[in-house]
Amino acid sequence: MNIDSDTKLYCLIGHPISKSLSPLIHNFSFNENKINAKYLTFDVKENNLKMAISGLKALGVQGFNVTIPYKTEIIQYLDELSEEAKLIGSVNTVKNVNGKLIGYNTDGMGFIESLKENKIEIKEKIVLVIGAGGAGRAICMMLAKEGAEKIHIINRTIDKAKKLSKELNSIFDDVLITYGSLDNKKIDFKNIDIVVNCTSVGMYPNIDETPINPNHFTSKTTVYDIIYKPIKTKFLKFAEKRGCKILNGLDMLIYQGILSEEIWLDMNLNVEKVKKNVKSRSLQR
Ligand code: NAP
């Protein structure tokens, strides 16, 4: 599509954003769906968030995504939050409705859709979540909402795991929520159905790191690393060697992106062509 005076702008703000695949997802999708719009990335440095939001608003940017480290900080600059964003406590998608900024969170639903796509059941399952940052929060909330039996949260900063587990306990009284540190020796790995790495440990450029020692996993466990750069982290390589079913963060990324776009455009989009394109292009990178 050519750029003209009617072309709408969508974008990603965060820091750092240089490895983001979001432009690939959205520009392909806009093109496929004949939407006169472009998607750019803006690296917003510390202390510049407020100014960046004012600029986007003043320029009439129709919508944007928010990534590390601004998913929580952005909330104070928004006019309204969706129910999901309120529950999760962070925002990755903003829609500009006639100058009013509305915050949404599609990370959690993106994660759930990716599990469904890979035929992984959550109901009555025991899940180990590693990480209690923005993504960890979104994923724990959705796992609890979707009926997991037990969620054990471990995090480097144990207070954050404790705070998240308390919050979850106060909302979902039928799910058993526990927490611990990353080197928690009491975890019964034999009984864990799904492990989800929601930390940034193992992400490019620190590709030789793993969040926990994966040598205790048994082949009955599904190991999901939401990192997508690299596609197969060291953590996933270990898990694969132990015979576990493994999933990377690419499906979640694509689903959360398409869900954002559906919110911006107020229409249903076909995810299949986007998936095919992004997967083949990201493997070439
Ligand atoms: P975040 O809010 O900054 O949280 C980072 C998490 O990683 C925290 O739990 C943090 O622990 C932990 N962590 C960071 N460095 C660590 C280290 N050296 N050792 C141990 N733990 C460490 O970030 P986020 O938004 O949750 O994102 C986390 C990861 O998920 C990133 O890699 C991001 O790219 C990925 N992600 C993927 C998708 C997708 O669609 N596939 C969506 C969202 C995020 P502390 O609490 O102790 O700091």
Side-chain angles (χ1 to χ4, degrees), residues 258-273:
I258 292 301
L259 289 165
S260 297
E261 207 174 301
E262 289 185 336
I263 290 169
W264 295 328
L265 303 175
D266 215 1
M267 64 191 272
N268 290 325
L269 296 167
N270 185 336
V271 79
E272 288 313 315
K273 277 191 180 166

Side-chain angles (χ1 to χ4, degrees), residues 67-69 71-72 90 92 107 110-111 130-137 139 154-158 160-161 182 197-203 206 209-211 224-229 248-257:
T67 189
I68 299 174
K71 287 184 182 178
T72 311
S90 77
N92 76 331
D107 280 336
F111 173 75
I130 314 169
R137 278 187 70 83
I139 284 173
I154 56 175
N155 197 46
R156 176 179 62 178
T157 311
I158 197 158
K160 274 166 73 180
L182 287 184
N197 176 34
C198 303
T199 73
S200 44
V201 181
M203 186 171 79
N206 303 314
E209 296 173 1
T210 60
Y224 192 149
D225 196 332
I226 68 163
I227 291 172
Y228 54 86
K229 200 83 195 173
N248 64 49
L250 209 49
D251 281 340
M252 174 177 166
L253 178 83
I254 295 166
Y255 276 110
Q256 64 78 32

Side-chain angles (χ1 to χ4, degrees), residues 3-280:
I3 295 177
D4 58 26
S5 56
D6 291 327
T7 305
K8 304 286 185 235
L9 176 64
Y10 294 86
C11 65
L12 169 70
I13 57 169
H15 176 73
I17 38 101
S18 66
K19 293 284 165 192
S20 174
L21 292 175
S22 295
L24 191 59
I25 296 174
H26 295 293
N27 287 319
F28 177 82
S29 174
F30 289 151
N31 220 29
E32 272 297 302
N33 294 296
K34 311 226 171 336
I35 310 286
N36 187 2
K38 292 286 172 206
Y39 188 96
L40 298 178
T41 58
F42 294 111
D43 194 334
V44 176
K45 307 266 167 24
E46 224 181 304
N47 302 326
N48 281 348
L49 181 64
K50 188 177 178 187
M51 227 167 25
I53 307 295
S54 304
L56 293 174
K57 207 169 166 174
L59 294 174
V61 167
Q62 300 291 292
F64 54 94
N65 288 124
V66 185
T67 189
I68 299 174
Y70 302 125
K71 287 184 182 178
T72 311
E73 201 184 332
I74 182 101
I75 291 176
Q76 61 189 304
Y77 305 116
L78 304 178
D79 300 298
E80 239 177 66
L81 289 184
S82 71
E83 283 310 311
E84 215 112 272
K86 274 188 212 157
L87 177 72
I88 293 168
S90 77
V91 163
N92 76 331
T93 303
V94 178
K95 181 174 181 170
N96 182 350
V97 183
N98 304 321
K100 197 159 115 183
L101 298 184
I102 307 175
Y104 299 82
N105 190 308
T106 64
D107 280 336
M109 266 324 286
F111 173 75
I112 297 298
E113 288 299 325
S114 71
L115 285 181
K116 283 186 189 156
E117 150 113 24
N118 288 284
K119 306 202 172 10
I120 312 280
E121 268 291 324
I122 304 164
K123 226 174 172 29
E124 293 168 11
K125 297 293 179 200
I126 300 177
V127 189
L128 172 68
V129 175
I130 314 169
R137 278 187 70 83
I139 284 173
C140 284
M141 291 290 175
M142 297 311 285
L143 285 168
K145 205 172 161 198
E146 295 285 317
E149 181 184 312
K150 180 176 174 184
I151 304 172
H152 185 60
I153 308 161
I154 56 175
N155 197 46
R156 176 179 62 178
T157 311
I158 197 158
D159 275 354
K160 274 166 73 180
K162 183 178 177 182
K163 185 169 173 273
L164 177 57
S165 80
K166 261 190 168 175
E167 241 177 292
L168 285 157
N169 267 319
S170 69
I171 306 170
F172 303 98
D173 49 15
D174 51 348
V175 187
L176 184 61
I177 319 271
T178 53
Y179 68 91
S181 60
L182 287 184
D183 61 356
N184 195 328
K185 302 277 188 299
K186 290 186 199 142
I187 299 171
D188 182 6
F189 283 96
K190 287 191 305 302
N191 287 328
I192 291 173
D193 299 300
I194 307 168
V195 174
V196 193
N197 176 34
C198 303
T199 73
S200 44
V201 181
M203 186 171 79
Y204 178 88
N206 303 314
I207 57 170
D208 284 327
E209 296 173 1
T210 60
I212 60 168
N213 179 351
N215 286 331
H216 310 294
F217 295 158
T218 68
S219 60
K220 86 175 246 297
T221 306
T222 295
V223 178
Y224 192 149
D225 196 332
I226 68 163
I227 291 172
Y228 54 86
K229 200 83 195 173
I231 292 290
K232 204 185 274 180
T233 57
K234 189 172 180 183
F235 192 53
L236 286 187
K237 286 181 187 162
F238 267 120
E240 191 175 40
K241 269 196 196 144
R242 300 202 63 80
C244 305
K245 181 178 170 72
I246 58 165
L247 298 176
N248 64 49
L250 209 49
D251 281 340
M252 174 177 166
L253 178 83
I254 295 166
Y255 276 110
Q256 64 78 32
I258 292 301
L259 289 165
S260 297
E261 207 174 301
E262 289 185 336
I263 290 169
W264 295 328
L265 303 175
D266 215 1
M267 64 191 272
N268 290 325
L269 296 167
N270 185 336
V271 79
E272 288 313 315
K273 277 191 180 166
V274 179
K275 252 197 290 183
K276 204 167 157 211
N277 179 271
V278 173
K279 284 188 176 175
S280 69

